[in-house]
Amino acid sequence: MKALPVMPPAEDEAPSQAEAAYRQLRDKLIMLEIRPGEPINDGQLAAELGFGRTPVREAIKRLEVDHLVVSYPRRGTFATNVDFTELADVSEIRELLEPLAARRAAKRASSAMRQELLDVAATIATLDPSAAESRDLMRYDLTVHRLIYRAAANPHLEDTLIRYDNLATRIWCLVLDKVPSVSGHITEHVELLKAVAEGDAEKAGELALHHVTSFEETIRKVL
């Protein structure tokens, strides 16, 4: 099977150990590599990831705030369950904020960021959806959204949207085996990325809204 092209990092490339541990654990939880309800063992995770226990413990505390893990007295820490009843609430917030981020990015992105967005669009445009599992394709979705959030140049908006996009992606990953194909969901990013890179704020906002609403519609069809 042909390997997918490596996407550029969507976040800073030189994080601290605690930040690096947080990002790795966060994405394992989002992509369901750590399954909902699975116990979180900080010592085991530290050994697997190559970090000390302190950075991993700091990461776990942040993941609690993100609603990706939950701790119970005398029982331990576990990956949170995926609650489909949250879909409407998460979508309601994203339908307001995703278009805002796309419009801001179209207006405020630096020249270097605009080129990066075009490069990612070109990579996705040449993807062969049959070359990878649906879960691997979903990593492109995460990268695209995080790049647009960063391009919007509002750290508070970026943090908020990353949190809700993470929750939405967990829901998507849990039903991937029921979805006929995610390739269309991924390839529609090409026009969105181009609109942002070209500074077309109105079109970028419209495409971002469509992306979120179509996501919710697809999930509801398979629930």
Side-chain angles (χ1 to χ4, degrees):
M1 182 176 289
K2 182 182 176 182
L4 287 176
V6 176
M7 295 292 279
E11 298 169 292
D12 295 337
E13 296 185 48
S16 65
Q17 280 205 349
E19 181 67 22
Y22 166 74
R23 293 180 186 178
Q24 289 189 42
L25 286 175
R26 177 196 64 190
D27 289 354
K28 283 180 175 293
L29 288 157
I30 294 167
M31 302 305 297
L32 305 188
E33 293 173 16
I34 300 175
R35 300 293 299 177
E38 187 175 326
I40 304 295
N41 183 303
D42 58 0
Q44 181 180 339
L45 287 171
E48 288 177 4
L49 300 175
F51 296 110
R53 281 197 171 189
T54 298
V56 171
R57 286 173 178 167
E58 291 178 12
I60 290 171
K61 289 179 182 178
R62 289 179 61 185
L63 292 166
E64 283 192 75
V65 177
D66 292 342
H67 303 292
L68 293 174
V69 304
V70 59
S71 295
Y72 300 102
R74 297 180 295 280
R75 285 184 56 198
T77 302
F78 301 83
T80 55
N81 290 317
V82 176
D83 186 353
F84 290 111
T85 64
E86 293 183 347
L87 177 59
D89 293 338
V90 170
S91 296
E92 182 179 36
I93 295 168
R94 295 184 73 216
E95 285 170 12
L96 291 172
L97 297 186
E98 291 277 356
L100 172 62
R103 291 193 300 268
R104 281 184 60 93
K107 295 175 182 177
R108 297 171 181 263
S110 65
S111 297
M113 176 59 75
R114 292 181 195 277
Q115 185 58 55
E116 186 172 356
L117 293 169
L118 289 173
D119 290 344
V120 172
T123 298
I124 294 175
T126 60
L127 279 179
D128 176 5
S130 65
E133 297 293 331
S134 295
R135 199 172 303 277
D136 293 326
L137 289 173
M138 286 304 297
R139 297 182 189 279
Y140 282 77
D141 185 77
L142 285 172
T143 296
V144 167
H145 285 283
R146 290 172 185 174
L147 283 172
I148 292 175
Y149 304 157
R150 181 153 58 91
N154 182 329
H156 302 290
L157 179 63
E158 180 180 4
D159 289 346
T160 300
L161 273 170
I162 285 177
R163 180 178 300 177
Y164 286 104
D165 184 50
N166 291 345
L167 296 175
T169 302
R170 284 190 94 210
I171 294 173
W172 186 282
C173 286
L174 200 64
V175 298
L176 273 180
D177 59 337
K178 300 178 182 179
V179 177
S181 172
V182 300
S183 60
H185 179 77
I186 305 306
T187 55
E188 68 183 31
H189 285 120
V190 173
E191 291 305 311
L192 171 58
L193 288 166
K194 287 182 177 179
V196 173
E198 293 167 2
D200 191 337
E202 183 177 352
K203 183 177 180 180
E206 291 173 355
L207 290 171
L209 178 59
H210 169 75
H211 185 70
V212 174
T213 54
S214 65
F215 159 80
E216 183 177 8
E217 290 170 2
T218 299
I219 296 298
R220 291 197 178 283
K221 287 178 182 178
V222 300
L223 289 181

